[in-house]
Amino acid sequence: MNLSVLLVLSLAAPSTWTVDDDGPADFSSIRTALFNVAPGDTLLVEPGTYGPFVATQRVTILGRFGPRPKILDKSYVIGAPAVTIVGLEFESLTVKDVVGRALVDDCEIEDGDLVIDSCERFLLSRIEVRTPAAAGGIGADVVSSHGFMVLCDVEGGDGPGGSIFGTRGGDGGSALRVRGGSEVTIVASRLIGGKAGVGFVDGRAGDGLLVEGGTAVVRGAPHDVLDDGAYDTCCGGTPGFSIQAESAATVVWSGVSLPAGIGGTGAVTQAPAAEPYVYVTGDD
């Protein structure tokens, strides 16, 4: 093999770069790193606090084992061919227009939301989402996308408070909303709607799963719960649903617990037997 071919292969090989906000590393911020590394490279992020970033290229961003690096404000992945994000804590994260696999694993979303929009193949695994208190927001929003949620724990935002002198409390947000023709399989996960806001008349509790358009398949065991948020009946508060399916929605569920029941005019059916979410074949 001649020298020119070796040089091309060397330049094409993915590299791993370190990011540390307060110590010696290749970069001190994720944003700066993304401006400088090549598509396909890996960023290894040390614990610390970092500003938001926008990723548009194929990239892997890994939080080093230990306390999760905290990413402030809103971060975006837009139009990347593929992305892998593991072990970070975000205030808000939007992944949009990813044509390959979008993998987000072992991450927390605190005081914000998670949006998956127009992604061809996504996988969310071991994700915790906590939306802001008294904001009534959706915890995780899947729009025009196809993929899986596995071992996720998502809560909708609590409804904003009203006034005892005549203002109604706000409605709680759904834990997960599926819309825009999405196809989502939800496995071994916990989805809890936000609490109803308290006021002269209390609001409505948020739904565990709201499907406005598309298909959702829910699989799990009885300890995997889809439930609405808390509400107070003494002040006119109203419940939500474990699953709320609008007319353009199809939901098939098995195995999980649905304490708050099913609402809406969409097609919601229970599989005749609990469906496994892992198939093993062969001698293993």
Side-chain angles (χ1 to χ4, degrees):
M1 187 177 293
N2 62 41
L3 180 60
S4 62
V5 174
L6 286 173
L7 180 60
V8 169
L9 291 176
S10 175
L11 292 174
S15 299
T16 297
W17 307 88
T18 56
V19 183
D20 194 342
D21 64 337
D22 61 358
D26 297 312
F27 302 98
S28 61
S29 76
I30 300 173
R31 178 186 299 177
T32 301
L34 289 170
F35 277 123
N36 288 278
V37 303
D41 283 357
T42 296
L43 304 182
L44 184 60
V45 185
E46 299 289 343
T49 302
Y50 299 86
F53 62 82
V54 177
T56 58
Q57 74 267 49
R58 181 189 300 271
V59 67
T60 297
I61 306 176
L62 306 178
R64 188 182 290 278
F65 181 78
R68 290 184 177 91
K70 182 176 179 61
I71 317 300
L72 302 176
D73 205 359
K74 295 179 179 289
S75 291
Y76 296 87
V77 177
I78 301 178
V83 66
T84 297
I85 299 175
V86 180
L88 303 179
E89 178 184 332
F90 293 90
E91 290 187 354
S92 177
L93 175 64
T94 294
V95 182
K96 180 176 173 63
D97 295 328
V98 175
V99 296
R101 188 188 69 169
L103 168 63
V104 184
D105 174 54
D106 191 24
C107 289
E108 295 182 13
I109 313 294
E110 294 288 345
D111 296 328
D113 57 358
L114 172 63
V115 178
I116 305 296
D117 187 355
S118 303
C119 294
E120 293 187 6
R121 295 185 294 121
F122 74 85
L123 171 59
L124 306 177
S125 56
R126 302 185 297 167
I127 303 296
E128 296 183 11
V129 180
R130 302 289 182 265
T131 52
I138 302 294
D141 197 7
V142 178
V143 187
S144 303
S145 299
H146 303 79
F148 293 81
M149 294 181 63
V150 181
L151 294 171
C152 293
D153 188 343
V154 183
E155 295 182 5
D158 297 341
S163 166
I164 61 173
F165 301 106
T167 306
R168 180 182 180 275
D171 296 338
S174 298
L176 171 64
R177 178 170 64 183
V178 176
R179 55 195 176 110
S182 297
E183 297 180 2
V184 182
T185 299
I186 302 149
V187 176
S189 295
R190 173 182 177 270
L191 306 176
I192 308 295
K195 299 177 183 177
V198 176
F200 179 74
V201 176
D202 290 353
R204 178 184 181 277
D207 301 313
L209 170 63
L210 171 61
V211 185
E212 295 180 345
T215 301
V217 177
V218 184
R219 297 175 176 175
H223 59 263
D224 301 314
V225 179
L226 280 63
D227 201 1
D228 66 343
Y231 65 97
D232 191 344
T233 56
C234 74
C235 297
T238 53
F241 293 99
S242 292
I243 298 174
Q244 168 86 341
E246 303 297 345
S247 59
T250 300
V251 181
V252 179
W253 68 277
S254 66
V256 301
S257 297
L258 307 177
I262 297 168
T265 58
V268 181
T269 58
Q270 180 180 7
E275 299 178 358
Y277 42 85
V278 175
Y279 292 90
V280 179
T281 61
D283 293 339
D284 293 337

